[in-house]
Amino acid sequence: IQPEVNGKADELQVHKSLRTPRQRKRTGARLLELLPEDCGLFLPWKEVPRLDGVRYLKLIKRLRKKLPKTSMLWVELGPGVPRWRITGGLDYRKVNEFVDRVVLDISVPEEPGPIIRRTEIERLLHSVVQQVHSWKILLNVPTYALEWELGSDGPKQARFAYHTALSRAHRHGARLREDEDGELYYHYQSRGTQFQIWLPHLSAIAQICHLANSYNLAGVILDELGQEDPSIWQVIAQHFRSATLNISVE
């Protein structure tokens, strides 16, 4: 299960959950209370303050100790969870000892551009596999589209499902354009304001799947499942073997 308790917490909320041994104990207890029998736990904290790295590791160790041996423990690592330095951070090597899977979150762009940027993903992956077993790593791949409003106050971002974004592009008569790197996006103007719509291209998703196989990763996670281009499943099938579950009614 992915707990709602602080599931998408910001750094301040995470700090409050970790700052004292008593608070860490309470946080761990709340998370464990949510677990049905024979389920695993995914703690999707995307941001952890550098000064709380050691405290976060203590919470992970506590959860691993309290969880049944048959239950898996997953955590997120990435740009928002800084690696250990003299000034603090999280020791990725220690995390590797206590968790069953590590999810690498692909950060959302802060300005208009491709949603999936292979160069940045590969750079992040290369730095993490030096400290975490590759077969424990999953890449969290966004499947949603991003629309950017290019106003005077700077670009503003909005998320949409693939088909919703495509409908908006057609409704506003958007034109396909190409950036300096040859990446395609939709552009339109409404009430004097410029808009851009960027879709997660299937070719980029195919590259990520290829990357997962090249590094022998555990696989990929489709973020915001249900908002994807249905054609994505053809891409997935080309890179991963499907499996049939034999579920007994007993």
Side-chain angles (χ1 to χ4, degrees):
I1 66 165
Q2 177 174 317
E4 293 183 3
V5 178
N6 292 332
K8 296 184 178 179
D10 59 21
E11 287 190 335
L12 180 59
Q13 290 174 299
V14 170
H15 173 67
K16 290 179 179 178
S17 300
L18 299 174
R19 60 184 173 181
T20 66
R22 178 178 293 181
Q23 189 60 47
R24 289 195 297 274
K25 184 176 180 179
R26 289 177 179 173
T27 299
R30 286 203 307 271
L31 294 173
L32 293 170
E33 285 174 0
L34 298 171
L35 275 178
E37 189 176 354
D38 298 327
C39 282
L41 177 66
F42 174 29
L43 186 56
W45 284 352
K46 299 178 183 295
E47 299 181 23
V48 176
R50 184 173 290 277
L51 62 89
D52 289 320
V54 174
R55 297 166 180 165
Y56 186 35
L57 183 60
K58 289 180 179 180
L59 175 63
I60 292 173
K61 290 171 65 175
R62 182 178 187 83
L63 290 172
R64 179 67 278 170
K65 183 178 179 180
K66 296 293 183 180
L67 281 169
K69 292 183 178 180
T70 55
S71 297
M72 298 183 76
L73 175 61
W74 294 20
V75 299
E76 283 209 19
L77 298 180
V81 186
R83 293 194 298 275
W84 172 256
R85 295 289 186 270
I86 296 177
T87 55
L90 183 63
D91 189 338
Y92 281 18
R93 294 184 189 275
K94 291 292 185 180
V95 173
N96 181 60
E97 295 178 16
F98 298 112
V99 304
D100 299 286
R101 293 292 184 270
V102 167
V103 177
L104 289 187
D105 190 49
I106 298 175
S107 57
V108 178
E110 296 181 356
E111 57 184 20
I115 299 174
I116 300 174
R117 294 149 292 167
R118 173 171 177 155
T119 303
E120 292 186 20
I121 296 168
E122 195 160 13
R123 187 185 303 117
L124 172 64
L125 182 57
H126 183 70
S127 66
V128 174
V129 294
Q130 298 176 13
Q131 299 173 308
V132 178
H133 295 321
S134 62
W135 51 268
K136 286 188 175 184
I137 298 175
L138 294 132
L139 292 176
N140 197 21
V141 183
T143 63
Y144 48 79
L146 292 178
E147 181 182 77
W148 295 90
E149 179 182 346
L150 308 180
S152 57
D153 297 333
K156 295 180 181 178
Q157 176 196 115
R159 291 189 187 186
F160 293 102
Y162 175 86
H163 283 306
T164 302
L166 209 55
S167 296
R168 289 177 65 85
H170 294 328
R171 185 167 68 249
H172 291 284
R175 300 295 184 92
L176 268 177
R177 289 191 176 179
E178 189 176 298
D179 70 1
E180 57 186 13
D181 296 320
E183 298 285 349
L184 296 175
Y185 64 94
Y186 284 98
H187 174 270
Y188 71 90
Q189 182 172 328
S190 178
R191 298 180 181 179
T193 303
Q194 306 289 328
F195 289 85
Q196 292 184 10
I197 296 177
W198 290 80
L199 305 172
H201 299 300
L202 294 178
S203 58
I205 294 174
Q207 290 178 354
I208 299 305
C209 293
H210 177 73
L211 201 61
N213 283 327
S214 298
Y215 278 83
N216 192 32
L217 304 185
V220 298
I221 296 175
L222 301 183
D223 194 12
E224 302 289 348
L225 190 63
Q227 299 194 32
E228 74 279 359
D229 173 2
S231 300
I232 193 176
W233 298 108
Q234 299 175 16
V235 175
I236 296 292
Q238 290 171 2
H239 291 83
F240 299 106
R241 182 184 61 196
S242 60
T244 301
L245 296 179
N246 183 18
I247 301 176
S248 172
V249 294
E250 299 177 358

